[in-house]
């Protein structure tokens, strides 16, 4: 009896703890790419301008302009991209909805064939398809998942994607400018803060994706540092040539 109770307890604990992250939401990808893009692009922009031996005021104005332009560009791009994707999915869902209305028997047989192809016995597959097809909305949801690979009730939001992208890009792009806004006169505080931000962003992303935090953090740091180094060298070269 004690063994049975222990097994039941373990089974119940496993069922309660077996959860998954939201992998279909519309906020994670734009937030991650927005923060990374804001950090790398504005760091590279500022180091490139600083390499040309310009004054601190010019660097601040350049950084703030890069922040504003990049944030609005990212938000507009994400909104358009996600809206277009959503409209395409909704159009395909409407096609499927019409097919279910016009040819319900054919769609039911198609669903049964899908289950048979996955190893379900034909009689059982037909019965399952019949029961699931009794509710038109449920049938649409199942066909959408099986044929299109989407959940009609969990489509990404263009507004969420745009806001996430705008806010994360602005936050990332602010870091390289912040030391100058606080009175720094040299470039190195901005570079140091931006590189720390890149490492932190990489580490946070690893927490979400279950990747090694130090590897992800170092990867972002190296990529951002390389971009800053190249643009600083180009800024120095062009500044000397123009000067």
């Amino acid at each position: 009896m004690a063994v049975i109770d222990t097994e039941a307890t373990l089974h119940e604990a496993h069922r309660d703890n077996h959860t998954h992250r939201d992998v279909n939401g519309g906020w994670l990808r734009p937030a991650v790419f927005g923060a990374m893009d804001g950090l790398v692009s504005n760091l590279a922009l500022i180091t490139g301008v600083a390499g040309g031996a310009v004054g601190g005021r010019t660097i601040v104005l350049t950084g703030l302009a890069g922040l504003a332009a990049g944030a609005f560009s990212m938000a507009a791009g994400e909104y358009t991209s996600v809206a277009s994707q959503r409209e395409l999915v909704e159009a395909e869902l409407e096609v499927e909805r019409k097919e279910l209305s016009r040819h319900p028997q054919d769609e039911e047989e198609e669903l049964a064939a899908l289950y048979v192809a996955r190893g379900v016995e034909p009689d059982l597959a037909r019965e399952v398809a019949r029961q699931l097809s009794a509710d038109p909305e449920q049938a649409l949801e199942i066909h959408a998942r099986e044929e299109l690979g989407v959940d009609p009730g969990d489509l990404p939001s263009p507004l969420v994607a745009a806001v996430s992208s705008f806010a994360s890009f602005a936050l990332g792009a602010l870091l390289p400018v912040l030391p100058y806004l606080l009175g720094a006169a040299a470039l190195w505080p901005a570079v140091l803060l931006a590189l720390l931000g890149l490492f932190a962003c990489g580490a946070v992303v690893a927490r979400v994706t279950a990747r090694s935090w130090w590897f992800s953090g170092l990867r972002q740091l190296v990529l951002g540092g390389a971009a800053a180094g190249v643009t600083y060298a180009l800024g120095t070269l062009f500044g000397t040539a123009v000067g």
Side-chain angles (χ1 to χ4, degrees):
M1 179 65 69
V3 173
I4 295 176
D5 291 343
T6 301
E7 291 179 351
T9 301
L10 291 174
H11 176 73
E12 185 67 25
H14 174 74
R15 185 178 66 182
D16 291 341
N17 294 327
H18 189 69
T19 58
H20 294 284
R21 302 178 180 92
D22 177 15
V23 297
N24 293 322
W27 65 270
L28 178 59
R29 185 180 65 85
V32 170
F33 280 100
M36 296 297 183
D37 196 18
L39 270 166
V40 174
S41 63
N42 227 27
L43 173 61
L45 179 62
I46 287 175
T47 54
V49 172
V54 300
R57 176 181 171 83
T58 302
I59 294 175
V60 170
L61 289 175
T62 301
L64 292 178
L67 184 158
F72 281 110
S73 176
M74 286 286 292
E78 280 295 332
Y79 186 92
T80 302
S81 175
V82 175
S84 299
Q85 179 187 7
R86 185 180 179 112
E87 289 164 2
L88 175 61
V89 172
E90 288 175 342
E92 292 300 314
L93 289 175
E94 186 59 29
V95 171
E96 191 64 33
R97 183 178 285 108
K98 290 179 179 178
E99 287 297 312
L100 285 168
S101 176
R102 296 171 180 173
H103 311 287
Q105 190 59 42
D106 292 341
E107 291 297 308
E108 182 178 321
E109 292 175 359
E110 181 180 336
L111 186 60
L114 286 172
Y115 290 138
V116 170
R118 293 187 177 185
V120 180
E121 295 181 357
D123 290 342
L124 179 58
R126 284 191 290 270
E127 178 59 21
V128 170
R130 184 189 66 80
Q131 294 187 27
L132 293 176
S133 300
D135 181 357
E137 288 304 313
Q138 178 177 255
L140 175 63
E141 179 179 340
I142 293 170
H143 279 274
R145 288 179 175 178
E146 295 291 341
E147 298 177 28
L148 303 176
V150 298
D151 183 352
D154 192 25
L155 298 180
S157 167
L159 182 60
V160 169
V163 171
S164 298
S165 182
F166 182 94
S168 59
F169 185 99
L171 181 61
L174 179 63
L175 287 184
V177 189
L178 192 58
Y180 286 99
L181 293 175
L182 296 177
L187 177 63
W188 69 265
V191 174
L192 179 60
L193 183 59
L195 292 180
L196 289 175
L198 282 169
F199 183 86
C201 283
V204 169
V205 171
R207 293 278 296 178
V208 176
T209 61
R211 188 72 185 266
S212 172
W213 65 270
W214 59 266
F215 174 82
S216 183
L218 284 176
R219 178 176 60 185
Q220 297 304 325
L221 187 151
V222 169
L223 292 174
V230 170
T231 53
Y232 182 83
L234 291 174
T236 302
L237 177 64
F238 294 151
T240 302
V242 173

